[in-house]
Amino acid sequence: MMRNQTMKSWRSAEQWLLGGMVLALAAAAFIWLVLGPAPAAPAYLTAVVLLIASLLASLIMMRRVGTARRQMEAVLHGRTKAEQHAIEALRHSEAQWKEVFEHNPVMYFMVDAAGTVLSVNTFGAAQLGYAVSELLGQSVLKVFPAEEQHVAQSNVAICLKNIGQTHSWEICKVRKDGSSLWVRENAKAVRRLDNQLIVLIACEDITERKGAENALRQSEMYLAEAQRLSRTGSFGWRVASGEIIWSEETFRIFGYDKASSIKLATVMQRIHPDDRARVQQTIDRASRDGKDFVHGYRLLMPDGSVKHVHAAAHAVTDASGDIEFVGAVTDITSRKRAETELHEAQANLAHVTRVTALGELAASIAHEVNQPLAAVVTNAAACLRWLDREPANLKEARSTLQSIVADGNRAGEVIQRVRALVDKTADQKAPLQINNVVNEVISFVQHELFSHRVALRLELAPALPPVLADRIQLQQVILNLVINGVEAMQPVKDRPRDLVIRTRQDDETRQILVTVSDCGVGVATENADRLFEAFFTTKSSGMGMGLSICRSIVSAHGGRLSASGNAGPGATFQFTLPLHQEDST
């Protein structure tokens, strides 16, 4: 508009100058016609000179005005092109921003103070399942479920109360199809040029993250419930800082209130005073060597009760190269109590079994005792005869008395072994030689073997390492296996009744093996495992009596008892016992 007015002004100036020149020429022509071609008067000359000067001035002015006009037109043309470029750039920028607004993968809303949607981008509307036209002019509460609408109104009110401040929150929206969409909203209230308050809202889709959080929360709930049921808590220990992270169940086991972390000194306070030194040694060794560890200890609770726990940890290296331990701790108090009760029950059963076995071995015991007693009587009578002689033969009498003492000691040993089998005593595990136990049992059953015409062969490996066991209980196991072998061979009439007891060391498993083999009726494959069930016996020979308690005794010693049929007639019973390990600590 200003450019057009300027150009019109310049054109008017040129027109005025041109008009002036025309008037000057007309005046010259008029003078020429009136005064003639060559007047002499001075006035004439003066008029002509002025006229010519006026004409020349007009020409000069017209030239200058034309030049100025052309320069102005060039300037105005350049300015016009610059304006056109600016307008095109503005249109392009607007198109770009509109593209960003419409298709940016973020939901944008602009609402007024009443919550009416003034603007929404295409992406946001599509994400909610709507067209833009379906949301414009509608209440923003339309995209919230009923239970979230009050929260949405409160959030908008907070923004309106704090103009210019950005607020963030997480909230659930509802799509047109009724499905849920979790978003994180960043909103700010601003005032427009017309003084109207509006709220600008940018929404980020966090549905996937919320789903992962819910799944994690549910997984943690399952893990916590599983730990509670199994009474097993987890822990993490950062050696460098001494910080210990516990699960909820671990806090429950130790009887502490739940916290973000706990110090090692606090843990040590709960450990039983008698176990603290040993636990401290284990912890010091683990932190120094950075190796896995397993240990058990007791906790002394504030009410004076004692808990038994078992802990195992695995060493890992973090990103900075520091050692961390990840492990689990289990409350085994109930297990310990059950083991004690089981041990007492086994002791009771073992006592009953021993007494029952003694009833069957009464004849053998009487034979073992009668032999030394008969020898004592015979030697005593001989001693009297040596003393009645004249003179008394003191040398023979002394020798006879020594025999009496030896036979008396032998009878005492037999009685002592029988009493050990009958007495109801607790387990007394100690290092012992398995071959000695076998020989002690054989002395009990010599009469039984003789009366049933059983030939016994011993194949005992020499110099076997000791085992840690209860002597009486092992005697019971071997005794029952021998008696079962003898009974299994009672129906045998067409072949010798051979019983073989072997001992040897298994270098691979570091165990002692004891086998009792007979050539009796054998063991059916389907009954091999059932032999060790309580009250199970075979119909033919009664095999299996007492084997259940035998397996319990062997298992309590860390071994295993099994049975199998021989390649030929008969069966073999085998049990293993771990070697005795000296305590290196």
Side-chain angles (χ1 to χ4, degrees), residues 214-481:
N214 291 335
L216 177 61
R217 190 178 301 110
Q218 189 175 39
S219 176
E220 290 176 346
M221 181 189 68
Y222 289 155
L223 177 60
E225 186 65 16
Q227 289 191 356
R228 187 186 67 82
L229 292 174
S230 64
R231 297 183 179 180
T232 300
S234 57
F235 66 87
W237 171 32
R238 296 187 179 95
V239 177
S241 63
E243 184 182 25
I244 299 176
I245 308 298
W246 277 356
S247 68
E248 183 176 350
E249 181 63 16
T250 308
F251 279 103
R252 190 200 65 77
I253 292 174
F254 278 76
Y256 285 122
D257 293 334
K258 187 176 180 181
S260 57
S261 64
I262 195 167
K263 292 297 183 180
L264 182 60
T266 307
V267 180
M268 296 300 295
Q269 291 176 1
R270 188 67 85 222
I271 296 176
H272 196 285
D274 296 341
D275 295 345
R276 284 177 187 167
R278 178 170 54 83
V279 172
Q280 188 64 55
Q281 289 177 358
T282 302
I283 292 174
D284 292 343
R285 183 167 54 248
S287 59
R288 181 180 64 253
D289 300 339
K291 295 181 179 180
D292 299 355
F293 65 89
V294 176
H295 62 157
Y297 50 90
R298 293 168 297 171
L299 303 179
L300 182 60
M301 307 307 290
D303 60 359
S305 62
V306 176
K307 286 185 179 180
H308 293 265
V309 297
H310 180 269
H314 174 63
V316 296
T317 304
D318 60 16
S320 60
D322 294 331
I323 297 297
E324 293 185 7
F325 287 92
V326 179
V329 56
T330 304
D331 182 356
I332 59 172
T333 305
S334 298
R335 186 193 309 172
K336 283 287 186 180
R337 187 180 301 114
E339 288 177 356
T340 301
E341 294 174 354
L342 176 61
H343 185 72
E344 293 176 355
Q346 288 177 342
N348 292 333
L349 287 174
H351 171 68
V352 173
T353 305
R354 287 196 293 265
V355 173
T356 303
L358 285 176
E360 298 177 358
L361 297 177
S364 177
I365 295 171
H367 176 75
E368 293 292 330
V369 175
N370 284 335
Q371 280 186 342
L373 288 180
V376 167
V377 173
T378 301
N379 289 328
C383 183
L384 289 175
R385 288 195 300 271
W386 291 118
L387 293 175
D388 288 340
R389 288 189 178 188
E390 288 294 343
N393 191 338
L394 297 180
K395 180 179 179 181
E396 292 294 338
R398 184 179 294 107
S399 177
T400 304
L401 288 174
Q402 290 175 349
S403 298
I404 292 174
V405 171
D407 290 333
N409 290 335
R410 181 183 172 192
E413 290 178 358
V414 173
I415 297 300
Q416 185 177 6
R417 292 173 185 171
V418 173
R419 290 186 61 186
L421 283 172
V422 176
D423 287 344
K424 183 180 178 182
T425 57
D427 292 353
Q428 297 181 358
K429 291 183 179 180
L432 53 86
Q433 296 292 331
I434 192 66
N435 289 346
N436 294 342
V437 179
V438 173
N439 289 323
E440 290 166 358
V441 172
I442 297 307
S443 67
F444 293 151
V445 296
Q446 284 293 344
H447 179 74
E448 190 77 12
L449 297 173
F450 177 78
S451 63
H452 288 86
R453 300 187 304 278
V454 175
L456 176 64
R457 186 169 79 252
L458 298 179
E459 298 180 3
L460 308 181
L464 289 176
V467 295
L468 184 66
D470 183 282
R471 180 182 296 273
I472 302 302
Q473 290 190 359
L474 283 192
Q475 287 178 350
Q476 178 187 351
V477 172
I478 298 173
L479 180 63
N480 282 354
L481 295 182

Side-chain angles (χ1 to χ4, degrees), residues 67-364:
T67 301
R69 182 179 64 81
R70 285 190 297 271
Q71 292 177 348
M72 182 61 68
E73 286 180 346
V75 171
L76 293 177
H77 180 70
R79 184 178 297 175
T80 300
K81 290 184 66 176
E83 289 178 353
Q84 289 176 348
H85 286 138
I87 291 172
E88 289 297 327
L90 181 60
R91 289 175 179 173
H92 181 68
S93 177
E94 288 178 351
Q96 285 184 327
W97 282 110
K98 184 176 181 180
E99 186 73 15
V100 170
F101 177 77
E102 292 293 336
H103 302 292
N104 192 314
V106 176
M107 186 187 307
Y108 294 106
F109 274 90
M110 182 171 66
V111 301
D112 61 14
T116 303
V117 178
L118 302 178
S119 178
V120 60
N121 63 334
T122 304
F123 175 84
Q127 197 173 20
L128 293 170
Y130 291 96
V132 173
S133 59
E134 292 180 284
L135 295 177
L136 293 178
Q138 302 294 320
S139 173
V140 75
L141 299 179
K142 180 178 181 178
V143 298
F144 291 96
E147 61 272 14
E148 297 283 0
Q149 290 182 1
H150 176 71
V151 177
Q153 286 177 321
S154 299
N155 292 336
V156 172
I158 292 173
C159 292
L160 293 172
K161 187 177 180 180
N162 302 276
I163 300 174
Q165 295 183 8
T166 301
H167 299 273
S168 299
W169 55 80
E170 294 180 0
I171 195 169
C172 180
K173 290 189 175 183
V174 61
R175 296 186 178 96
K176 187 176 181 179
D177 60 5
S179 60
S180 298
L181 175 73
W182 276 93
V183 296
R184 177 177 179 80
E185 294 188 337
N186 296 290
K188 179 170 66 174
V190 297
R191 194 178 297 277
R192 296 202 310 189
L193 295 177
D194 58 1
N195 207 34
Q196 180 184 4
L197 281 175
I198 60 171
V199 180
L200 305 176
I201 307 171
C203 311
E204 176 189 0
D205 185 359
I206 60 171
T207 304
E208 186 173 339
R209 193 200 80 193
K210 275 290 184 179
E213 289 177 354
N214 291 335
L216 177 61
R217 190 178 301 110
Q218 189 175 39
S219 176
E220 290 176 346
M221 181 189 68
Y222 289 155
L223 177 60
E225 186 65 16
Q227 289 191 356
R228 187 186 67 82
L229 292 174
S230 64
R231 297 183 179 180
T232 300
S234 57
F235 66 87
W237 171 32
R238 296 187 179 95
V239 177
S241 63
E243 184 182 25
I244 299 176
I245 308 298
W246 277 356
S247 68
E248 183 176 350
E249 181 63 16
T250 308
F251 279 103
R252 190 200 65 77
I253 292 174
F254 278 76
Y256 285 122
D257 293 334
K258 187 176 180 181
S260 57
S261 64
I262 195 167
K263 292 297 183 180
L264 182 60
T266 307
V267 180
M268 296 300 295
Q269 291 176 1
R270 188 67 85 222
I271 296 176
H272 196 285
D274 296 341
D275 295 345
R276 284 177 187 167
R278 178 170 54 83
V279 172
Q280 188 64 55
Q281 289 177 358
T282 302
I283 292 174
D284 292 343
R285 183 167 54 248
S287 59
R288 181 180 64 253
D289 300 339
K291 295 181 179 180
D292 299 355
F293 65 89
V294 176
H295 62 157
Y297 50 90
R298 293 168 297 171
L299 303 179
L300 182 60
M301 307 307 290
D303 60 359
S305 62
V306 176
K307 286 185 179 180
H308 293 265
V309 297
H310 180 269
H314 174 63
V316 296
T317 304
D318 60 16
S320 60
D322 294 331
I323 297 297
E324 293 185 7
F325 287 92
V326 179
V329 56
T330 304
D331 182 356
I332 59 172
T333 305
S334 298
R335 186 193 309 172
K336 283 287 186 180
R337 187 180 301 114
E339 288 177 356
T340 301
E341 294 174 354
L342 176 61
H343 185 72
E344 293 176 355
Q346 288 177 342
N348 292 333
L349 287 174
H351 171 68
V352 173
T353 305
R354 287 196 293 265
V355 173
T356 303
L358 285 176
E360 298 177 358
L361 297 177
S364 177

